[in-house]
Amino acid sequence: MTEAPIAFGTSSTENGLLGTGGDASVIDKVQISGAVEHGIELYNQSGAFGLTISNSTIGSNNTTTGSDGVLIETQGTSTGTININNNTFSSNKSQAIQVAAIDSSTANLTINGNTITRGTQGNEGIVVSNGFNADLVTSITNNTISGFGGVSIFAGQTPGNANSGSLLYATISGNQITTSNTASNHAILASLTSTSGQTSLARLVINNNTVTQNSNAGMAGIFVGTPDSLRTPDFHVAVTNNHVDVTNNAAGLRGIVVQASRGTGH
């Protein structure tokens, strides 16, 4: 069931949008609050679509049943060009922005210039992922994110599920992040994994971000890793020109961690 004030398509069933270029869709200068579940929700199974969400205020969904500010899934064989730019997100119960490419779909995603705060509720900021044979090409840039106890920016594959035909290409750059002192996850997290017996591919650039990690629980400012046993991702990552402050040295905080405990890291 689709539960959103602005909703397009249904999961695994109906296309939400079609049309690119001059026929692409735009959501601009809207205010969304009080959603039962997500604020904006979109699913596509086939064909190509374009969507821009800009200059809008999205938040304050239901304190019991609320979920994401924006939830988008490219499914089947669909191809989406998605721009989420210059919006304000606050008090979304789960994630402010969640975009997933699954099946054999492709998502070309830009998330730029947004202001994202936890407000009165919220678990995580930006969460983007790909799985199965899907490709995700994403640029997450120049966002200001504050107050979350979970991850502020996550880019990775669906846990334990990304085939050798998939590709994750992510640039995370120019973001300003301040975490809560109760944070129980890393501020920027790249988590690489694969389907068992297959080698997924990922290419990542994490550059010029400013992170203040206030966690009392030993979380890193930037963490790149391969968490799932018996998985074999193959990834290249460049982590450059970032400024990371850790404010609770007694908790054993680490500024930047990059490791390949499974698979192959470059």
Side-chain angles (χ1 to χ4, degrees):
M1 180 178 292
T2 303
E3 297 280 358
I6 299 178
F8 304 98
T10 53
S11 182
S12 304
T13 305
E14 295 177 348
N15 274 337
L17 297 172
L18 291 174
T20 59
D23 295 319
S25 301
V26 176
I27 299 171
D28 185 59
K29 297 179 182 177
V30 302
Q31 294 187 3
I32 300 172
S33 64
V36 173
E37 191 177 19
H38 310 294
I40 297 174
E41 190 172 2
L42 166 65
Y43 304 96
N44 255 60
Q45 284 74 48
S46 62
F49 72 93
L51 173 64
T52 294
I53 302 170
S54 57
N55 303 309
S56 296
T57 301
I58 302 167
S60 299
N61 50 28
N62 188 280
T63 58
T64 301
T65 61
S67 191
D68 301 336
V70 172
L71 172 65
I72 296 173
E73 290 189 7
T74 57
Q75 303 175 339
T77 58
S78 65
T79 297
T81 300
I82 304 153
N83 301 298
I84 304 173
N85 299 335
N86 303 316
N87 303 284
T88 299
F89 294 86
S90 183
S91 301
N92 293 285
K93 186 174 177 62
S94 188
Q95 287 94 20
I97 300 169
Q98 182 175 188
V99 179
I102 62 172
D103 301 326
S104 296
S105 68
T106 299
N108 299 297
L109 170 66
T110 299
I111 301 174
N112 179 72
N114 301 281
T115 299
I116 302 171
T117 58
R118 181 183 183 276
T120 59
Q121 62 177 359
N123 295 329
E124 298 171 318
I126 297 170
V127 175
V128 301
S129 63
N130 70 311
F132 299 95
N133 293 306
D135 294 341
L136 171 62
V137 179
T138 183
S139 177
I140 302 171
T141 55
N142 304 315
N143 302 284
T144 300
I145 306 171
S146 62
F148 289 98
V151 66
S152 295
I153 297 176
F154 172 90
Q157 287 105 350
T158 304
N161 190 345
N163 298 338
S164 56
S166 68
L167 173 64
L168 169 64
Y169 195 107
T171 298
I172 301 170
S173 180
N175 301 285
Q176 305 278 329
I177 298 172
T178 305
T179 71
S180 165
N181 60 13
T182 61
S184 58
N185 210 335
H186 312 295
I188 296 175
L189 173 60
S191 181
L192 295 317
T193 186
S194 72
T195 301
S196 181
Q198 298 201 40
T199 300
S200 63
L201 299 177
R203 305 290 184 264
L204 304 102
V205 174
I206 302 173
N207 175 67
N208 197 34
N209 301 284
T210 299
V211 179
T212 302
Q213 175 57 281
N214 293 312
S215 171
N216 294 323
M219 298 295 107
I222 298 171
F223 191 100
V224 179
T226 54
D228 298 324
S229 60
L230 304 178
R231 307 304 197 216
T232 53
D234 185 309
F235 69 94
H236 294 243
V237 59
V239 182
T240 56
N241 301 315
N242 300 282
H243 182 99
V244 179
D245 286 329
V246 291
T247 63
N248 189 347
N249 292 329
L253 290 176
R254 298 162 291 174
I256 298 173
V257 179
V258 181
Q259 61 188 31
S261 48
R262 290 112 179 156
T264 303
H266 308 270

